[in-house]
Short mmCIF file of all heavy atoms in Angstrom, two decimals:
data_model
loop_
_atom_site.label_atom_id
_atom_site.label_comp_id
_atom_site.label_asym_id
_atom_site.label_seq_id
_atom_site.Cartn_x
_atom_site.Cartn_y
_atom_site.Cartn_z
N GLU A 1130 -4.99 -135.84 5.69
CA GLU A 1130 -4.49 -136.65 4.60
C GLU A 1130 -5.49 -137.70 4.19
O GLU A 1130 -5.71 -137.94 3.00
CB GLU A 1130 -3.13 -137.34 5.09
CG GLU A 1130 -1.98 -136.44 5.14
CD GLU A 1130 -1.37 -136.12 3.77
OE1 GLU A 1130 -1.91 -136.63 2.76
OE2 GLU A 1130 -0.37 -135.41 3.71
N ASP A 1131 -6.17 -138.34 5.20
CA ASP A 1131 -7.12 -139.36 4.89
C ASP A 1131 -8.37 -138.76 4.10
O ASP A 1131 -8.99 -139.48 3.34
CB ASP A 1131 -7.67 -140.00 6.20
CG ASP A 1131 -6.62 -140.79 6.88
OD1 ASP A 1131 -5.62 -141.18 6.28
OD2 ASP A 1131 -6.84 -141.01 8.09
N ALA A 1132 -8.61 -137.50 4.29
CA ALA A 1132 -9.77 -136.86 3.69
C ALA A 1132 -9.57 -136.57 2.20
O ALA A 1132 -10.56 -136.49 1.45
CB ALA A 1132 -10.10 -135.56 4.41
N LEU A 1133 -8.33 -136.49 1.74
CA LEU A 1133 -8.10 -136.03 0.40
C LEU A 1133 -8.64 -136.96 -0.64
O LEU A 1133 -9.31 -136.49 -1.63
CB LEU A 1133 -6.59 -135.90 0.17
CG LEU A 1133 -5.84 -134.88 1.04
CD1 LEU A 1133 -4.36 -134.88 0.79
CD2 LEU A 1133 -6.43 -133.48 0.84
N LEU A 1134 -8.56 -138.27 -0.49
CA LEU A 1134 -8.95 -139.25 -1.51
C LEU A 1134 -10.47 -139.19 -1.69
O LEU A 1134 -10.93 -139.11 -2.82
CB LEU A 1134 -8.45 -140.66 -1.22
CG LEU A 1134 -8.90 -141.74 -2.22
CD1 LEU A 1134 -8.36 -141.40 -3.62
CD2 LEU A 1134 -8.32 -143.03 -1.77
N PRO A 1135 -11.28 -139.36 -0.61
CA PRO A 1135 -12.70 -139.29 -0.82
C PRO A 1135 -13.17 -137.96 -1.39
O PRO A 1135 -14.18 -137.91 -2.16
CB PRO A 1135 -13.31 -139.53 0.54
CG PRO A 1135 -12.23 -139.39 1.47
CD PRO A 1135 -10.95 -139.69 0.81
N LEU A 1136 -12.56 -136.86 -1.04
CA LEU A 1136 -12.96 -135.57 -1.59
C LEU A 1136 -12.64 -135.52 -3.12
O LEU A 1136 -13.47 -134.97 -3.85
CB LEU A 1136 -12.22 -134.43 -0.87
CG LEU A 1136 -12.69 -134.18 0.60
CD1 LEU A 1136 -11.77 -133.16 1.26
CD2 LEU A 1136 -14.13 -133.66 0.59
N ARG A 1137 -11.55 -136.07 -3.49
CA ARG A 1137 -11.20 -136.08 -4.94
C ARG A 1137 -12.11 -137.05 -5.67
O ARG A 1137 -12.54 -136.76 -6.79
CB ARG A 1137 -9.72 -136.48 -5.16
CG ARG A 1137 -8.75 -135.47 -4.60
CD ARG A 1137 -7.51 -135.36 -5.50
NE ARG A 1137 -6.71 -134.22 -5.09
CZ ARG A 1137 -6.92 -132.96 -5.46
NH1 ARG A 1137 -7.91 -132.73 -6.31
NH2 ARG A 1137 -6.16 -131.98 -5.06
N ARG A 1138 -12.50 -138.15 -5.03
CA ARG A 1138 -13.46 -139.07 -5.60
C ARG A 1138 -14.80 -138.37 -5.82
O ARG A 1138 -15.49 -138.57 -6.84
CB ARG A 1138 -13.70 -140.27 -4.69
CG ARG A 1138 -13.03 -141.54 -5.19
CD ARG A 1138 -13.41 -142.73 -4.52
NE ARG A 1138 -12.34 -143.69 -4.56
CZ ARG A 1138 -11.79 -144.28 -3.49
NH1 ARG A 1138 -12.25 -143.99 -2.32
NH2 ARG A 1138 -10.80 -145.10 -3.69
N ALA A 1139 -15.21 -137.56 -4.83
CA ALA A 1139 -16.49 -136.82 -4.94
C ALA A 1139 -16.49 -135.96 -6.21
O ALA A 1139 -17.46 -135.89 -6.95
CB ALA A 1139 -16.73 -136.03 -3.69
N ASP A 1140 -15.34 -135.26 -6.41
CA ASP A 1140 -15.20 -134.37 -7.57
C ASP A 1140 -15.29 -135.18 -8.88
O ASP A 1140 -15.94 -134.82 -9.86
CB ASP A 1140 -13.95 -133.59 -7.46
CG ASP A 1140 -13.86 -132.56 -8.57
OD1 ASP A 1140 -14.80 -131.74 -8.75
OD2 ASP A 1140 -12.85 -132.51 -9.31
N THR A 1141 -14.62 -136.36 -8.88
CA THR A 1141 -14.61 -137.25 -10.08
C THR A 1141 -16.00 -137.72 -10.40
O THR A 1141 -16.42 -137.67 -11.59
CB THR A 1141 -13.66 -138.36 -9.89
OG1 THR A 1141 -12.30 -137.91 -9.62
CG2 THR A 1141 -13.68 -139.31 -11.08
N VAL A 1142 -16.73 -138.15 -9.39
CA VAL A 1142 -18.09 -138.71 -9.63
C VAL A 1142 -18.99 -137.57 -10.05
O VAL A 1142 -19.86 -137.75 -10.92
CB VAL A 1142 -18.62 -139.39 -8.35
CG1 VAL A 1142 -20.05 -139.76 -8.54
CG2 VAL A 1142 -17.77 -140.63 -8.05
N TRP A 1143 -18.84 -136.40 -9.48
CA TRP A 1143 -19.62 -135.23 -9.91
C TRP A 1143 -19.38 -134.96 -11.42
O TRP A 1143 -20.34 -134.71 -12.16
CB TRP A 1143 -19.20 -134.01 -9.07
CG TRP A 1143 -19.78 -132.74 -9.60
CD1 TRP A 1143 -19.30 -131.91 -10.57
CD2 TRP A 1143 -21.00 -132.08 -9.13
NE1 TRP A 1143 -20.09 -130.83 -10.74
CE2 TRP A 1143 -21.15 -130.89 -9.89
CE3 TRP A 1143 -21.96 -132.39 -8.14
CZ2 TRP A 1143 -22.21 -129.99 -9.69
CZ3 TRP A 1143 -23.00 -131.48 -7.96
CH2 TRP A 1143 -23.12 -130.36 -8.75
N LYS A 1144 -18.15 -134.99 -11.86
CA LYS A 1144 -17.84 -134.71 -13.24
C LYS A 1144 -18.52 -135.73 -14.17
O LYS A 1144 -18.98 -135.36 -15.29
CB LYS A 1144 -16.31 -134.76 -13.49
CG LYS A 1144 -15.57 -133.58 -12.87
CD LYS A 1144 -14.08 -133.78 -13.01
CE LYS A 1144 -13.30 -132.63 -12.38
NZ LYS A 1144 -11.81 -132.82 -12.41
N MET A 1145 -18.56 -136.99 -13.74
CA MET A 1145 -19.18 -138.03 -14.55
C MET A 1145 -20.72 -137.86 -14.56
O MET A 1145 -21.34 -138.13 -15.59
CB MET A 1145 -18.87 -139.38 -13.93
CG MET A 1145 -17.41 -139.76 -14.00
SD MET A 1145 -16.97 -141.25 -13.02
CE MET A 1145 -17.90 -142.50 -13.94
N SER A 1146 -21.27 -137.28 -13.48
CA SER A 1146 -22.75 -137.10 -13.43
C SER A 1146 -23.19 -135.78 -14.10
O SER A 1146 -24.28 -135.74 -14.67
CB SER A 1146 -23.15 -137.07 -11.95
OG SER A 1146 -22.80 -138.27 -11.32
N TYR A 1147 -22.30 -134.76 -14.01
CA TYR A 1147 -22.74 -133.47 -14.57
C TYR A 1147 -21.54 -132.96 -15.43
O TYR A 1147 -20.87 -131.97 -15.05
CB TYR A 1147 -23.01 -132.50 -13.45
CG TYR A 1147 -24.07 -132.98 -12.46
CD1 TYR A 1147 -23.73 -133.50 -11.26
CD2 TYR A 1147 -25.44 -132.88 -12.85
CE1 TYR A 1147 -24.73 -133.95 -10.38
CE2 TYR A 1147 -26.42 -133.36 -11.98
CZ TYR A 1147 -26.07 -133.90 -10.77
OH TYR A 1147 -27.01 -134.30 -9.88
N PRO A 1148 -21.37 -133.50 -16.59
CA PRO A 1148 -20.23 -133.07 -17.47
C PRO A 1148 -20.29 -131.63 -17.89
O PRO A 1148 -19.25 -131.03 -18.21
CB PRO A 1148 -20.37 -134.05 -18.63
CG PRO A 1148 -21.76 -134.60 -18.59
CD PRO A 1148 -22.14 -134.57 -17.21
N LYS A 1149 -21.49 -131.01 -17.92
CA LYS A 1149 -21.60 -129.63 -18.27
C LYS A 1149 -21.12 -128.71 -17.20
O LYS A 1149 -20.85 -127.56 -17.38
CB LYS A 1149 -23.03 -129.30 -18.69
CG LYS A 1149 -23.51 -129.97 -19.99
CD LYS A 1149 -24.89 -129.50 -20.36
CE LYS A 1149 -25.36 -130.13 -21.68
NZ LYS A 1149 -26.73 -129.66 -22.05
N PHE A 1150 -21.13 -129.23 -15.96
CA PHE A 1150 -20.67 -128.41 -14.82
C PHE A 1150 -19.56 -129.22 -14.03
O PHE A 1150 -19.83 -129.84 -12.99
CB PHE A 1150 -21.86 -128.13 -13.83
CG PHE A 1150 -23.03 -127.55 -14.60
CD1 PHE A 1150 -24.08 -128.32 -15.02
CD2 PHE A 1150 -23.06 -126.14 -14.83
CE1 PHE A 1150 -25.18 -127.74 -15.67
CE2 PHE A 1150 -24.16 -125.59 -15.50
CZ PHE A 1150 -25.18 -126.41 -15.94
N PRO A 1151 -18.41 -129.25 -14.60
CA PRO A 1151 -17.42 -130.29 -14.21
C PRO A 1151 -16.67 -130.08 -12.87
O PRO A 1151 -15.74 -130.83 -12.61
CB PRO A 1151 -16.43 -130.25 -15.35
CG PRO A 1151 -16.48 -128.89 -15.83
CD PRO A 1151 -17.87 -128.41 -15.69
N LEU A 1152 -17.08 -129.05 -12.07
CA LEU A 1152 -16.31 -128.84 -10.80
C LEU A 1152 -17.30 -128.86 -9.64
O LEU A 1152 -18.31 -128.10 -9.63
CB LEU A 1152 -15.63 -127.47 -10.84
CG LEU A 1152 -14.49 -127.39 -11.92
CD1 LEU A 1152 -13.96 -125.99 -12.05
CD2 LEU A 1152 -13.37 -128.34 -11.55
N TYR A 1153 -17.07 -129.69 -8.69
CA TYR A 1153 -17.87 -129.83 -7.51
C TYR A 1153 -17.35 -128.93 -6.43
O TYR A 1153 -16.37 -129.20 -5.80
CB TYR A 1153 -17.84 -131.29 -7.04
CG TYR A 1153 -18.82 -131.58 -5.86
CD1 TYR A 1153 -19.93 -130.82 -5.68
CD2 TYR A 1153 -18.48 -132.63 -5.03
CE1 TYR A 1153 -20.76 -131.12 -4.61
CE2 TYR A 1153 -19.33 -132.95 -3.90
CZ TYR A 1153 -20.47 -132.14 -3.75
OH TYR A 1153 -21.29 -132.42 -2.64
N ARG A 1154 -18.00 -127.75 -6.23
CA ARG A 1154 -17.50 -126.74 -5.37
C ARG A 1154 -17.24 -127.25 -3.94
O ARG A 1154 -16.16 -126.98 -3.37
CB ARG A 1154 -18.49 -125.59 -5.33
CG ARG A 1154 -18.04 -124.41 -4.47
CD ARG A 1154 -19.14 -123.39 -4.34
NE ARG A 1154 -20.31 -123.88 -3.63
CZ ARG A 1154 -21.53 -123.28 -3.73
NH1 ARG A 1154 -21.73 -122.27 -4.43
NH2 ARG A 1154 -22.50 -123.77 -2.98
N ARG A 1155 -18.21 -127.99 -3.36
CA ARG A 1155 -18.04 -128.37 -1.96
C ARG A 1155 -16.78 -129.22 -1.74
O ARG A 1155 -16.10 -129.04 -0.76
CB ARG A 1155 -19.30 -129.16 -1.57
CG ARG A 1155 -19.55 -129.09 -0.06
CD ARG A 1155 -19.99 -127.68 0.34
NE ARG A 1155 -20.11 -127.61 1.78
CZ ARG A 1155 -19.86 -126.47 2.44
NH1 ARG A 1155 -19.50 -125.34 1.81
NH2 ARG A 1155 -20.05 -126.37 3.69
N ALA A 1156 -16.52 -130.09 -2.63
CA ALA A 1156 -15.32 -130.92 -2.49
C ALA A 1156 -14.06 -130.07 -2.53
O ALA A 1156 -13.10 -130.23 -1.78
CB ALA A 1156 -15.25 -132.03 -3.60
N HIS A 1157 -14.01 -129.12 -3.46
CA HIS A 1157 -12.80 -128.28 -3.58
C HIS A 1157 -12.65 -127.32 -2.37
O HIS A 1157 -11.54 -127.05 -1.99
CB HIS A 1157 -12.85 -127.46 -4.91
CG HIS A 1157 -12.59 -128.33 -6.11
ND1 HIS A 1157 -11.37 -128.77 -6.40
CD2 HIS A 1157 -13.45 -128.85 -7.11
CE1 HIS A 1157 -11.42 -129.49 -7.54
NE2 HIS A 1157 -12.69 -129.57 -7.92
N VAL A 1158 -13.76 -126.89 -1.79
CA VAL A 1158 -13.65 -126.06 -0.60
C VAL A 1158 -13.02 -126.84 0.54
O VAL A 1158 -12.13 -126.32 1.27
CB VAL A 1158 -15.08 -125.56 -0.14
CG1 VAL A 1158 -15.06 -124.98 1.23
CG2 VAL A 1158 -15.59 -124.55 -1.19
N TRP A 1159 -13.40 -128.12 0.73
CA TRP A 1159 -12.80 -128.89 1.75
C TRP A 1159 -11.40 -129.38 1.46
O TRP A 1159 -10.57 -129.54 2.34
CB TRP A 1159 -13.76 -130.03 2.17
CG TRP A 1159 -14.88 -129.48 3.03
CD1 TRP A 1159 -16.09 -129.06 2.59
CD2 TRP A 1159 -14.77 -129.24 4.41
NE1 TRP A 1159 -16.80 -128.55 3.62
CE2 TRP A 1159 -16.04 -128.64 4.78
CE3 TRP A 1159 -13.85 -129.43 5.39
CZ2 TRP A 1159 -16.34 -128.28 6.09
CZ3 TRP A 1159 -14.13 -129.05 6.69
CH2 TRP A 1159 -15.38 -128.51 7.04
N LEU A 1160 -11.04 -129.52 0.19
CA LEU A 1160 -9.71 -129.82 -0.20
C LEU A 1160 -8.83 -128.63 0.14
O LEU A 1160 -7.73 -128.76 0.68
CB LEU A 1160 -9.59 -130.11 -1.69
CG LEU A 1160 -10.03 -131.51 -2.10
CD1 LEU A 1160 -10.24 -131.58 -3.64
CD2 LEU A 1160 -9.07 -132.58 -1.70
N LEU A 1161 -9.32 -127.40 -0.11
CA LEU A 1161 -8.59 -126.21 0.25
C LEU A 1161 -8.34 -126.18 1.73
O LEU A 1161 -7.21 -125.87 2.24
CB LEU A 1161 -9.43 -124.96 -0.17
CG LEU A 1161 -9.01 -123.59 0.34
CD1 LEU A 1161 -7.57 -123.27 -0.11
CD2 LEU A 1161 -9.93 -122.54 -0.09
N PHE A 1162 -9.35 -126.49 2.55
CA PHE A 1162 -9.20 -126.49 4.03
C PHE A 1162 -8.13 -127.52 4.43
O PHE A 1162 -7.25 -127.19 5.23
CB PHE A 1162 -10.55 -126.87 4.64
CG PHE A 1162 -10.48 -127.16 6.12
CD1 PHE A 1162 -10.34 -126.13 7.04
CD2 PHE A 1162 -10.51 -128.44 6.57
CE1 PHE A 1162 -10.23 -126.42 8.41
CE2 PHE A 1162 -10.45 -128.75 7.95
CZ PHE A 1162 -10.33 -127.71 8.85
N CYS A 1163 -8.22 -128.71 3.89
CA CYS A 1163 -7.24 -129.76 4.24
C CYS A 1163 -5.81 -129.33 3.95
O CYS A 1163 -4.88 -129.55 4.78
CB CYS A 1163 -7.55 -131.07 3.55
SG CYS A 1163 -9.06 -131.92 4.11
N TYR A 1164 -5.60 -128.77 2.75
CA TYR A 1164 -4.24 -128.32 2.38
C TYR A 1164 -3.74 -127.21 3.26
O TYR A 1164 -2.59 -127.15 3.60
CB TYR A 1164 -4.21 -127.96 0.93
CG TYR A 1164 -4.29 -129.10 0.00
CD1 TYR A 1164 -5.14 -129.15 -1.12
CD2 TYR A 1164 -3.44 -130.26 0.19
CE1 TYR A 1164 -5.21 -130.22 -1.97
CE2 TYR A 1164 -3.48 -131.30 -0.66
CZ TYR A 1164 -4.38 -131.31 -1.74
OH TYR A 1164 -4.46 -132.38 -2.62
N LEU A 1165 -4.70 -126.29 3.70
CA LEU A 1165 -4.30 -125.30 4.62
C LEU A 1165 -3.82 -125.89 5.96
O LEU A 1165 -2.80 -125.46 6.52
CB LEU A 1165 -5.49 -124.32 4.86
CG LEU A 1165 -5.81 -123.37 3.77
CD1 LEU A 1165 -7.13 -122.64 4.06
CD2 LEU A 1165 -4.68 -122.26 3.71
N GLU A 1166 -4.59 -126.83 6.45
CA GLU A 1166 -4.26 -127.42 7.75
C GLU A 1166 -2.94 -128.25 7.65
O GLU A 1166 -2.21 -128.37 8.63
CB GLU A 1166 -5.39 -128.32 8.23
CG GLU A 1166 -6.67 -127.57 8.62
CD GLU A 1166 -6.49 -126.60 9.72
OE1 GLU A 1166 -5.93 -127.00 10.74
OE2 GLU A 1166 -6.82 -125.41 9.53
N LEU A 1167 -2.67 -128.82 6.48
CA LEU A 1167 -1.44 -129.55 6.27
C LEU A 1167 -0.29 -128.65 5.94
O LEU A 1167 0.91 -129.17 5.92
CB LEU A 1167 -1.64 -130.57 5.15
CG LEU A 1167 -2.58 -131.72 5.39
CD1 LEU A 1167 -2.94 -132.43 4.12
CD2 LEU A 1167 -1.99 -132.69 6.40
N GLY A 1168 -0.50 -127.39 5.71
CA GLY A 1168 0.61 -126.48 5.41
C GLY A 1168 1.10 -126.58 3.98
O GLY A 1168 2.16 -126.14 3.65
N ARG A 1169 0.31 -127.25 3.15
CA ARG A 1169 0.69 -127.44 1.70
C ARG A 1169 0.10 -126.19 0.93
O ARG A 1169 -0.92 -126.35 0.26
CB ARG A 1169 0.19 -128.74 1.21
CG ARG A 1169 0.84 -129.96 1.87
CD ARG A 1169 0.21 -131.26 1.67
NE ARG A 1169 0.01 -131.65 0.26
CZ ARG A 1169 -0.41 -132.81 -0.14
NH1 ARG A 1169 -0.73 -133.77 0.74
NH2 ARG A 1169 -0.59 -133.07 -1.43
N LEU A 1170 0.80 -125.14 0.91
CA LEU A 1170 0.24 -123.92 0.44
C LEU A 1170 0.15 -123.93 -1.07
O LEU A 1170 -0.77 -123.30 -1.65
CB LEU A 1170 1.10 -122.70 0.90
CG LEU A 1170 1.09 -122.46 2.41
CD1 LEU A 1170 1.78 -121.17 2.74
CD2 LEU A 1170 -0.33 -122.43 2.95
N ASP A 1171 1.07 -124.60 -1.80
CA ASP A 1171 0.99 -124.64 -3.27
C ASP A 1171 -0.29 -125.38 -3.66
O ASP A 1171 -1.03 -124.96 -4.60
CB ASP A 1171 2.19 -125.31 -3.82
CG ASP A 1171 3.43 -124.47 -3.79
OD1 ASP A 1171 3.23 -123.24 -3.63
OD2 ASP A 1171 4.52 -125.01 -3.86
N ASP A 1172 -0.57 -126.51 -3.00
CA ASP A 1172 -1.82 -127.21 -3.28
C ASP A 1172 -3.04 -126.42 -2.89
O ASP A 1172 -4.09 -126.40 -3.61
CB ASP A 1172 -1.83 -128.56 -2.54
CG ASP A 1172 -0.84 -129.55 -3.09
OD1 ASP A 1172 -0.65 -129.63 -4.31
OD2 ASP A 1172 -0.24 -130.21 -2.25
N ALA A 1173 -2.98 -125.69 -1.76
CA ALA A 1173 -4.06 -124.89 -1.33
C ALA A 1173 -4.37 -123.74 -2.37
O ALA A 1173 -5.47 -123.44 -2.69
CB ALA A 1173 -3.78 -124.26 0.04
N ARG A 1174 -3.24 -123.19 -2.85
CA ARG A 1174 -3.41 -122.13 -3.85
C ARG A 1174 -4.09 -122.63 -5.13
O ARG A 1174 -4.95 -122.00 -5.68
CB ARG A 1174 -2.00 -121.54 -4.21
CG ARG A 1174 -2.09 -120.29 -5.01
CD ARG A 1174 -0.73 -119.76 -5.33
NE ARG A 1174 -0.06 -119.16 -4.16
CZ ARG A 1174 0.96 -119.74 -3.46
NH1 ARG A 1174 1.45 -120.96 -3.92
NH2 ARG A 1174 1.48 -119.19 -2.41
N ALA A 1175 -3.72 -123.89 -5.53
CA ALA A 1175 -4.36 -124.45 -6.71
C ALA A 1175 -5.82 -124.67 -6.48
O ALA A 1175 -6.63 -124.44 -7.39
CB ALA A 1175 -3.65 -125.78 -7.07
N GLU A 1176 -6.20 -125.16 -5.31
CA GLU A 1176 -7.62 -125.40 -5.00
C GLU A 1176 -8.34 -124.07 -4.98
O GLU A 1176 -9.52 -123.99 -5.41
CB GLU A 1176 -7.73 -126.13 -3.67
CG GLU A 1176 -7.33 -127.59 -3.71
CD GLU A 1176 -8.12 -128.39 -4.73
OE1 GLU A 1176 -9.31 -128.07 -4.95
OE2 GLU A 1176 -7.55 -129.31 -5.29
N TRP A 1177 -7.74 -123.05 -4.44
CA TRP A 1177 -8.44 -121.72 -4.36
C TRP A 1177 -8.67 -121.18 -5.72
O TRP A 1177 -9.76 -120.58 -6.00
CB TRP A 1177 -7.63 -120.74 -3.54
CG TRP A 1177 -8.19 -119.34 -3.53
CD1 TRP A 1177 -7.58 -118.24 -3.93
CD2 TRP A 1177 -9.47 -118.96 -3.07
NE1 TRP A 1177 -8.40 -117.10 -3.77
CE2 TRP A 1177 -9.56 -117.58 -3.23
CE3 TRP A 1177 -10.57 -119.69 -2.57
CZ2 TRP A 1177 -10.76 -116.83 -2.89
CZ3 TRP A 1177 -11.75 -119.00 -2.19
CH2 TRP A 1177 -11.79 -117.55 -2.39
#
């Protein structure tokens, strides 16, 4: 749960830095992992 906010921040800052490539893969991979470990499958599916 604690990891979610900084990972989302990483994606936001990436979008601001690289607007032509607006998705930061590494952050979304670890968001997917966190949602899997939390059992939040709908959120995990969205990240995937």
Side-chain angles (χ1 to χ4, degrees):
E1130 286 282 1
D1131 294 341
L1133 298 177
L1134 181 58
L1136 289 171
R1137 294 215 170 278
R1138 253 193 211 125
D1140 187 53
T1141 298
V1142 173
W1143 170 276
K1144 290 175 182 176
M1145 295 169 65
S1146 302
Y1147 303 101
K1149 290 184 179 180
F1150 307 97
L1152 295 172
Y1153 183 29
R1154 182 184 68 196
R1155 206 66 186 151
H1157 286 288
V1158 168
W1159 282 93
L1160 283 166
L1161 168 59
F1162 170 76
C1163 290
Y1164 286 132
L1165 283 170
E1166 293 299 308
L1167 291 168
R1169 292 167 57 174
L1170 296 186
D1171 287 341
D1172 291 320
R1174 190 179 290 108
E1176 289 301 327
W1177 174 239

